[in-house]
Amino acid sequence: MAVLRVRGRALPDGEPVDLYADGDRWTDDPVPGATLVAEGWLLPGLVDAHTHPGAERVGLPLDEETLRADLRGHLDAGVALIRAPGLAGDGEPPAWFGRDPDSPRAVHAGPWIAQRGQFFDGWGRRPSLADLPDVAAAQAARTGWAKIVVDWQPEDEVMPVEVLREAVARVHAVGGRLAVHSQQAAGGVVAVEAGVDSLEHGMCLDSALLPRMAALGMALTPTLAAINQSLARRLASPDDAVRTGSYVQGASAHGGLVAAAAEAGVTVLAGTDSRPHGRVAGEVRAMVAAGVPSHQALGAASWGARAYLGLPGLVAGAPADAVVYDVDPRDDLGILDHPRAVVLRGRLVRGRSLL
């Protein structure tokens, strides 16, 4: 296989780099005859940290053809790594998931874990509260992550903090990490009190908890663009109860919460949680519109998210992923929709060589 070369200014620091793909690792040792595939502003691949590929509608089983198409949508947008905190069906993807040369790297949390009587029909597991910590630990032992739904409908009971705290302890004991779904204020309190690793959505979270989240190293994946879209639909409803309900109140305040989280030092991750796949650039722009500095918002979808998920950036020895733009994307967020080149696992998957 031909050795690929990229050069330019690499974010987050903007320093000049000249890198060669030695298989699936970057090296800065020059390789004679390497093919220069892109030159410009380089990011170490985009990341969608909250996506559920593989099913066209809620409740449907995982479909391999749909999964491949969804992952291709991510890759075409420059996404080289995804995290799926919950997968359709039984949550067991095909063996090629995350390894296929034509789809992004991937980590996942298997099926959602919820309380009985909650969550979407056809998806997830619903063990007893007594068994839930063990179920979460077993999942994390298999895939590195587990995902728990701590609150669902406003009238539903929030998961008891002692159960969630035990789940965190069990998951950490096997070397895993725990993500939780929360869109209720009480659920956010329980999640922070239990010390989970990642809070998904986090709508209605009390901003007073943000310093505690930062101190714990807890990430927030706000899925802001998806919540903004849902808010717009509700505001356009002719039903007064829909337009003024508790969801509208929480969603209306969500952008301010995301900006406050970034300012407080919370690790913020970009995630789309919506179809079609490959729209993480929209999440970056939604964060910036809410008041998150563009450098931080871009990091939430690139180098910061990769670091949180255990992958280094554009340095020698790092995985050979990169997305290249003609201008600094921090100055022109629209350029995120138009990558010059995408390199994954040392292969050019979008763009053409320059020489």
Side-chain angles (χ1 to χ4, degrees), residues 11-289:
L11 295 179
D13 299 325
E15 294 296 321
V17 298
D18 195 347
L19 296 171
Y20 301 78
D22 182 10
D24 187 19
R25 289 292 181 270
W26 291 121
T27 179
D28 52 13
D29 294 328
V31 177
T35 301
L36 181 64
V37 296
E39 185 171 9
W41 286 84
L42 282 64
L43 275 70
L46 298 181
V47 181
D48 191 328
H50 189 122
T51 180
H52 307 294
E56 292 186 354
R57 294 192 307 276
V58 168
L60 291 180
L62 191 73
D63 177 78
E64 281 203 43
E65 184 176 347
T66 301
L67 181 61
R68 286 190 183 278
D70 290 344
L71 294 174
R72 186 68 212 186
H74 281 300
L75 193 57
D76 287 344
V79 173
L81 171 64
I82 68 162
R83 182 185 59 151
L87 282 174
D90 63 5
E92 295 300 330
W96 56 262
F97 180 68
R99 299 179 176 87
D100 181 74
D102 295 317
S103 61
R105 304 175 194 273
V107 295
H108 73 91
W112 293 262
I113 302 169
Q115 296 186 80
R116 292 175 178 173
Q118 298 184 19
F119 201 54
F120 297 116
D121 290 340
W123 281 4
R125 297 173 182 155
R126 292 162 183 79
S128 68
L129 290 179
D131 292 336
L132 189 145
D134 284 336
V135 171
Q139 179 63 55
R142 288 192 295 273
T143 63
W145 281 87
K147 170 75 173 294
I148 291 176
V149 179
V150 299
D151 60 56
W152 192 234
Q153 300 299 333
E155 66 273 13
D156 290 336
E157 290 188 9
V158 173
M159 183 163 292
V161 67
E162 60 272 14
V163 173
L164 190 60
R165 187 181 290 117
E166 181 62 20
V168 170
R170 300 281 184 89
V171 166
H172 287 176
V174 300
R177 300 166 95 175
L178 182 64
V180 300
H181 166 108
S182 174
Q183 293 190 2
Q184 311 288 345
V189 171
V190 167
V192 176
E193 182 66 25
V196 304
D197 297 288
S198 177
L199 179 59
E200 307 303 303
H201 315 298
M203 200 173 73
C204 300
L205 178 70
D206 184 349
S207 61
L209 296 172
L210 295 174
R212 176 65 174 160
M213 288 181 65
L216 290 172
M218 187 185 303
L220 171 67
T221 316
T223 62
L224 179 58
I227 289 175
N228 285 346
Q229 291 167 4
S230 179
L231 173 63
R233 289 193 297 269
R234 291 172 186 249
L235 290 175
S237 171
D239 188 331
D240 286 341
V242 172
R243 293 200 308 269
T244 61
S246 59
Y247 184 94
V248 168
Q249 296 175 28
S252 298
H254 198 48
L257 173 70
V258 176
E263 185 175 3
V266 175
T267 297
V268 178
L269 305 176
T272 56
D273 193 32
S274 62
R275 302 184 66 84
H277 295 274
R279 300 192 294 172
V280 75
E283 180 70 1
V284 173
R285 290 190 284 264
M287 288 184 184
V288 173

